[in-house]
Amino acid sequence: MSPGSKRKFKAGMENKHYPAPLASHEDVVNDPSVFWDTLRRFHFVMGTKFMIPVIGGKELDLQVLYVETTNRGGYDKVVAEKKWREVGSVFCFSATTTSASFVLKKHYFSLLYHYEQVHFFKIQGPVSTPAVAFPLGSPSSKTELAIVEYSPEPIRDCPDPSTESSSSFSASGTIEGKFDCGYLVSVQLGSEVLHGVLYHPDQQDLSNSIPQYDGAIVPYTPNRRRRRRRSRRSGDPSYPKPNRSGYNFFFAEKHYKLKSLYPNREREFTKMIGQSWSSLSAEERMVYQNIGLKDKERYKRELKEYKEKLQLRQAMEVELNIKAQDVQD
């Protein structure tokens, strides 16, 4: 584990402790509904981000990834024995998918590693540090493309670059959409347009790495500026984060999926998500509503603590001012 990885790992997990297992390892392995419910609640309790990755236009089955990895001894052992290719073989990725092992390792580390520690190894107390972490600060990962897939349209009278002059053959690319760790792109080669997915594993700004791509598609960020509503947290970073309802959690999860699958239809997402919410069963909806209730309790607790600290600080400031005035007198 590199020094840079250790610093980033500790910064995100400092002072955190593992909760008690939400179910047994056997239950989460044998029952997909138990797995997804406990995984979603685990990330909520830990305060970590949870989104279902999309690879090649399909959602990654995290339960299968968890089962295959724990069957081989867990994350550290799979990394040490270099078995990610073996784990990835069960997903039957398309022939155009490359570096799948790298992507599976990355998603497992961010979404399943701590879940594994609690439910597979039954570890309690402070969060554990992996023996071999995902190389967040590795220089070699900055220019590596994790997965590159494309589906070109049928070629019709496409000019042959070898027979055409350099002035008659050109290529240009555009960014059609952006998601968690990559871009949806279109490339025009002569008269043909190719569509594909460009993944970047460390989610860094690629604008500083243009020379390293040798003329490949270079992602860019449009100059559009969105007006953001001011919140009380902007004036006081210690102010607790406002709570979200169960529907808010459901909306965020579905919006991420839809944005990856339909990048050009964002105006329709609100209606689509509303219809999905209406079609949920009472039991399915209760999962999100319980998360919302817990978040509301968290906000009330943190707000009460914030107000108490604020009153104490103000009282101390008044007392100091009085003492300073007495000294001057």
Side-chain angles (χ1 to χ4, degrees), residues 170-228:
S170 61
S172 60
T174 57
I175 303 297
E176 303 293 346
K178 180 180 179 181
F179 53 98
D180 191 36
C181 56
Y183 301 82
L184 299 171
V185 298
S186 295
V187 184
Q188 183 169 358
L189 298 175
S191 61
E192 296 301 314
V193 178
L194 307 181
H195 302 283
V197 181
L198 181 64
Y199 281 81
H200 193 266
D202 59 0
Q203 303 181 24
Q204 294 183 0
D205 184 4
L206 303 184
S207 60
N208 296 327
S209 305
I210 294 177
Q212 303 176 16
Y213 283 87
D214 298 328
I217 300 171
V218 179
Y220 71 94
T221 303
N223 292 326
R224 293 181 299 175
R225 294 185 178 179
R226 295 183 178 180
R227 182 177 297 176
R228 297 182 178 180

Side-chain angles (χ1 to χ4, degrees), residues 22 36-48 50 242-253 277 283-299:
L22 302 173
W36 287 105
D37 179 47
T38 55
L39 180 63
R40 188 179 290 108
R41 286 193 289 158
F42 178 83
H43 279 278
F44 171 75
V45 171
M46 292 293 291
T48 50
F50 173 66
N243 65 291
R244 295 189 293 170
S245 66
Y247 178 74
N248 290 147
F249 285 99
F250 176 83
F251 186 95
E253 180 178 313
W277 175 260
E283 292 77 10
E284 292 173 329
R285 191 175 300 179
M286 185 61 64
V287 173
Y288 294 95
Q289 290 175 339
N290 287 338
I291 295 175
L293 290 175
K294 290 182 179 180
D295 195 40
K296 186 176 182 179
E297 294 173 0
R298 185 271 313 162
Y299 174 67

Side-chain angles (χ1 to χ4, degrees), residues 105-144:
K105 176 182 175 183
K106 170 184 179 294
H107 289 314
Y108 194 95
F109 178 72
S110 62
L111 297 170
L112 294 171
Y113 174 78
H114 297 295
Y115 181 85
E116 168 197 282
Q117 300 302 300
V118 173
H119 294 84
F120 182 60
F121 291 108
K122 297 180 175 58
I123 294 178
Q124 298 288 311
V127 295
S128 59
T129 303
V132 182
F134 182 80
L136 296 173
S138 173
S140 61
S141 67
K142 293 183 179 180
T143 59
E144 180 177 356

Side-chain angles (χ1 to χ4, degrees), residues 218-269:
V218 179
Y220 71 94
T221 303
N223 292 326
R224 293 181 299 175
R225 294 185 178 179
R226 295 183 178 180
R227 182 177 297 176
R228 297 182 178 180
R229 292 187 300 176
R230 296 183 60 185
S231 65
R232 296 187 65 173
R233 287 175 57 85
S234 61
D236 186 357
S238 63
Y239 189 85
K241 183 179 179 181
N243 65 291
R244 295 189 293 170
S245 66
Y247 178 74
N248 290 147
F249 285 99
F250 176 83
F251 186 95
E253 180 178 313
K254 288 296 180 183
H255 189 277
Y256 175 81
K257 298 179 184 177
L258 293 172
K259 190 173 182 180
S260 301
L261 297 173
Y262 311 106
N264 298 321
R265 299 173 59 184
E266 291 194 27
R267 293 184 179 180
E268 306 174 35
F269 288 177

Side-chain angles (χ1 to χ4, degrees), residues 62-83:
L62 294 177
Q63 191 206 21
V64 173
L65 180 59
Y66 175 78
V67 171
E68 293 298 326
T69 303
T70 53
N71 282 345
R72 292 167 175 80
Y75 173 87
D76 288 332
K77 190 171 182 180
V78 172
V79 171
E81 297 179 359
K82 300 180 179 180
K83 290 186 176 181

